[in-house]
Amino acid sequence: MYVIARNSGEGADRKNEKGDYQLTDIEYANLQKLGANFENVVVVLNVGGIVDTKFFHEIVGLDSLLADEPGRYGRRERLGRRHFRQGNPFR
């Protein structure tokens, strides 16, 4: 499991640059290594706004989970169900 987090909201304008809308070079390299060495890699997008997700088509072996804004308990429940395969993580 690899988490990509971004700040957004009032007072946090988004920019089309690495580390915001785009992945950083380190994030991209980490995902390449994970995709090459593990059969199943879940990438958790802990973001409140949009991010460029083209890397899912460029790197083999990645799966995604959007941990948008379900609140403190909703995010924990969703990640727990997905990680331990307990029912539908999107209920």
Side-chain angles (χ1 to χ4, degrees):
M1 184 178 298
Y2 189 85
V3 178
I4 296 173
R6 296 291 187 267
N7 290 328
S8 63
E10 292 183 43
D13 291 337
R14 305 298 307 278
K15 296 182 175 101
N16 185 14
E17 58 188 38
K18 293 180 180 181
D20 193 351
Y21 177 73
Q22 302 170 24
L23 294 181
T24 65
D25 293 336
I26 293 172
E27 288 169 331
Y28 195 87
N30 287 341
L31 290 171
Q32 285 181 311
K33 289 177 187 175
L34 289 169
N37 290 291
F38 294 95
E39 187 175 329
N40 298 307
V41 179
V42 174
V43 180
V44 179
L45 299 175
N46 183 12
V47 297
I50 60 171
V51 293
D52 186 0
T53 57
K54 68 182 175 191
F55 62 90
F56 284 112
H57 298 288
E58 299 171 349
I59 303 171
V60 177
L62 303 181
D63 193 10
S64 66
L65 175 64
L66 178 61
D68 51 5
E69 302 292 332
R72 185 169 95 186
Y73 297 107
R75 182 176 294 131
R76 183 177 64 196
E77 285 293 315
R78 185 179 295 173
L79 289 175
R81 287 182 186 188
R82 174 66 180 245
H83 185 67
F84 296 107
R85 303 202 188 281
Q86 297 173 348
N88 183 349
F90 302 104
R91 275 194 248 169

